[in-house]
Amino acid sequence: MSAITVSHLTKKFGDLTAVDDVSLAIEEGELFALLGMNGAGKTTTIKMLSCLIFPTQGDAVLLGDSIRKDPIAIKQKSNVSPQETAVAPNLSVLENLSLMAGIYGQDKDSAQSSARDMSSRFGLNGVLNKSAKKLSGGMQRRLSIAMALISDPEILFLDEPTLGLDVLARRELWSSIKQLKGKVTIILTTHYLEEVEALSDRVGIMNNGKLVAVGTTAELVTQAGTENFEDAFVSLSGGEL
Amino acid sequence: MKTILFAGRNTKEILRDPISFFFGLGFPLILLLLFNIINSAIPAEAQNTMFEIESIGPGVAVFGTIFLALFSGMLISKDRTTSFLMRLFASPMQSFDFIFGYTLPMIVMAAVQALFTFIVAAVLGLPLTINTALAILVLLPIAILFTGIGLLCGSILNEKAVGGICGALLTNVAAWLSGAWIPLDLIGGAFKKTAEVLPFYHAVQATKAAVLGNFSGIMPHLSIVLIYTVVFYMLAVIVFRGKMKSDKV
């Protein structure tokens, strides 16, 4: 069953068409990676699907609710981990997590309990009372994703979740994301091709706002007639091999 | 519930920033002590009442509220630039949760700040009476005015610009044009006329009238402050709500 059905989604900023007539269906529990060069339209697509910005044309239905007609219903059952770490810097890890749980409707006790559970899941127990601004980049990323998951979303948007992380921190985060597969529908944007290969069920390649190819990494390699996924991405993105 | 949670978060963010804490509470008290030292150094035969505690106390209390523009502006601007606000915009929070969540801590902080200022002023000779409570009430719309200015600036400017406008510029312009340090009559001319058009002078006069128990003297000045408060706060709400719906958070 489709968790997300996107129909002719378009976003224009003045004369610039950032997202151009994108149509797509994503299954429940699927991890779908959106791949593309800078300015390809990945973040704009995520912003429309998470009801942060309104589409110029088209619509998307997330678990039965339209982004045009029912943004509040969608916001209640989805969550976002933005490109930046987006944490409250002077609040502790526990306070950041409790705050987000409370905002999504949990009472004080449940919020505290969820915050502790989420800290365990993301290896944040050792820094529970440390202020977010004092955490390393990797820990802040983990906290950011934990904050997105504490509301127990059915759909999760991860916008470049491992941007700027070292190899070790990235691998740790991959492991956390892998644990969510099958339970949460995830749309992930990234520039790292190895991340796509390691995590995604299917990949959508965007170029100049258009969704130019969709499939598994193996399908895309076959479609492009290349030897590996990197070459397939370059070829399908309109680049030269 | 969401409003209170968000207001709690904002209070912690500001109070855990040592610079905000110093400017919010410490600086007005230092000014009060400084002016008291200056006043003590003025010989009685000079008959200069400029720095007497009845005059300076309410002025410093109003001056303290100016920093609320800096605190609220910096907080919102920081929330925007770090994408924390984007995360919250993607949550089920409504526009009033944000607006009241940013405003409530400022009102509480203004009341606490004013209370401390008047307690120190009492130590320095300003009687602590029921009029003090009235003065704190008079300060609240003034606090909302500066919070509105901060909300407005924070919604459209980056941290650096907010620091410049709400910090350096507004604190200086508002302080000098308020007549809190130097009576406007001493300068007169265009300076006095400009000050009388703006809300800062009226804020000090309304607070001073409340402290002195001159009840009929409050509203003529406070009504001008209220007009500015409504205009700036409404403008801030419109701009913030526009930001929520805009393509660029």
Side-chain angles (χ1 to χ4, degrees):
Chain A
M1 187 188 157
S2 288
I4 302 172
T5 309
V6 181
S7 315
H8 306 289
L9 201 62
T10 302
K11 183 68 190 178
K12 291 181 180 176
F13 300 109
D15 293 335
L16 174 80
T17 304
V19 175
D20 192 358
D21 197 33
V22 167
S23 294
L24 171 72
I26 298 168
E27 297 303 306
E28 270 185 33
E30 186 177 3
L31 197 154
F32 188 89
L34 266 181
L35 208 54
M37 306 291 185
N38 282 332
K42 308 182 297 290
T43 298
T44 306
T45 303
I46 280 202
K47 282 185 175 177
M48 281 191 283
L49 295 179
S50 56
C51 304
L52 279 166
I53 58 174
F54 202 72
T56 310
Q57 280 165 21
D59 198 357
V61 175
L62 282 74
L63 299 167
D65 293 308
S66 152
I67 58 169
R68 282 182 171 275
K69 294 175 194 154
D70 312 296
I72 292 291
I74 291 173
K75 285 176 177 185
Q76 191 64 51
K77 56 192 172 191
S78 66
N79 213 321
V80 182
S81 178
Q83 231 173 65
E84 295 81 6
T85 43
V87 296
N90 287 327
L91 261 57
S92 69
V93 167
L94 189 66
E95 286 170 335
N96 264 291
L97 291 167
S98 303
L99 171 72
M100 291 314 293
I103 282 171
Y104 280 83
Q106 296 182 28
D107 62 34
K108 199 178 172 186
D109 290 342
S110 309
Q112 286 278 323
S113 163
S114 304
R116 288 182 189 280
D117 285 350
M118 204 51 72
S119 302
S120 298
R121 257 170 81 180
F122 281 84
L124 294 163
N125 269 342
V127 290
L128 215 54
N129 294 310
K130 203 171 179 179
S131 65
K133 69 179 175 192
K134 289 182 182 159
L135 298 177
S136 66
M139 286 295 216
Q140 284 194 359
R141 285 272 167 199
R142 274 199 233 177
L143 173 60
S144 180
I145 295 176
M147 285 166 75
L149 276 167
I150 200 159
S151 62
D152 201 13
E154 293 169 76
I155 297 173
L156 177 65
F157 300 100
L158 298 174
D159 197 2
E160 303 197 26
T162 59
L163 187 73
L165 293 188
D166 59 43
V167 177
L168 217 63
R170 187 176 299 164
R171 287 296 171 100
E172 283 173 359
L173 207 53
W174 284 6
S175 156
S176 302
I177 294 169
K178 275 178 184 168
Q179 289 172 26
L180 303 171
K181 283 182 72 168
K183 299 171 197 157
V184 183
T185 306
I186 301 172
I187 297 191
L188 171 141
T189 74
T190 184
H191 282 293
Y192 302 116
L193 300 182
E194 71 276 21
E195 191 161 288
V196 174
E197 291 183 288
L199 297 176
S200 64
D201 297 311
R202 281 192 308 149
V203 185
I205 295 177
M206 292 190 77
N207 186 29
N208 289 327
K210 288 183 183 294
L211 187 65
V212 292
V214 178
T216 63
T217 51
E219 285 168 353
L220 293 175
V221 169
T222 308
Q223 186 183 333
T226 55
E227 286 182 4
N228 56 54
F229 182 58
E230 185 172 328
D231 286 348
F233 169 66
V234 172
S235 169
L236 293 166
S237 297
E240 285 183 22
L241 289 173
Chain B
M1 180 64 181
K2 293 184 185 83
T3 308
I4 300 297
L5 273 172
F6 187 53
R9 174 264 167 177
N10 293 335
T11 306
K12 286 177 192 163
E13 282 287 345
I14 293 168
L15 292 182
R16 288 176 187 177
D17 178 358
I19 295 170
S20 299
F21 196 77
F22 169 73
F23 277 101
L25 203 60
F27 193 50
L29 301 183
I30 290 171
L31 273 180
L32 208 56
L33 294 170
L34 206 63
F35 281 119
N36 190 57
I37 292 167
I38 294 170
N39 190 49
S40 309
I42 297 172
E45 54 268 26
Q47 293 184 327
N48 188 336
T49 58
M50 226 161 81
F51 298 121
E52 281 185 350
I53 194 67
E54 290 79 6
S55 204
I56 285 299
V60 169
V62 171
F63 181 70
T65 62
I66 302 171
F67 290 103
L68 298 177
L70 181 65
F71 301 157
S72 56
M74 289 292 273
L75 184 62
I76 296 162
S77 184
K78 216 180 278 183
D79 283 350
R80 276 178 42 232
T81 51
T82 59
S83 288
F84 187 70
L85 207 51
M86 188 202 286
R87 181 191 284 284
L88 297 180
F89 282 173
S91 80
M93 281 176 74
Q94 309 269 347
S95 56
F96 62 82
D97 293 319
F98 288 101
I99 289 154
F100 290 118
Y102 278 124
T103 306
L104 284 175
M106 302 299 156
I107 295 174
V108 174
M109 278 165 63
V112 172
Q113 185 187 55
L115 185 66
F116 273 102
T117 304
F118 284 123
I119 287 171
V120 173
V123 173
L124 300 174
L126 186 72
L128 206 58
T129 65
I130 190 71
N131 293 339
T132 311
L134 181 64
I136 292 173
L137 278 179
V138 166
L139 279 165
L140 297 185
I142 300 166
I144 297 171
L145 165 66
F146 288 114
T147 304
I149 294 172
L151 193 59
L152 181 63
C153 291
S155 299
I156 50 178
L157 302 171
N158 62 29
E159 279 176 71
K160 204 173 166 188
V162 170
I165 290 174
C166 294
L169 189 68
L170 185 67
T171 46
N172 275 295
V173 167
W176 289 111
L177 290 170
S178 70
W181 315 148
I182 301 169
L184 294 183
D185 289 331
L186 271 184
I187 304 168
F191 187 87
K192 189 184 174 199
K193 281 181 186 150
T194 308
E196 284 172 348
V197 171
L198 295 169
F200 317 120
Y201 164 72
H202 299 286
V204 172
Q205 292 308 310
T207 312
K208 206 181 273 186
V211 166
L212 298 175
N214 173 18
F215 305 124
S216 61
I218 298 173
M219 275 323 284
H221 291 292
L222 192 61
S223 54
I224 294 167
V225 175
L226 285 170
I227 292 168
Y228 274 98
T229 302
V230 170
V231 169
F232 270 96
Y233 201 74
M234 290 302 289
L235 201 59
V237 169
I238 292 165
V239 170
F240 188 84
R241 284 173 64 108
K243 208 76 190 170
M244 280 186 80
K245 289 175 186 162
S246 81
D247 292 332
K248 207 169 177 208
V249 175

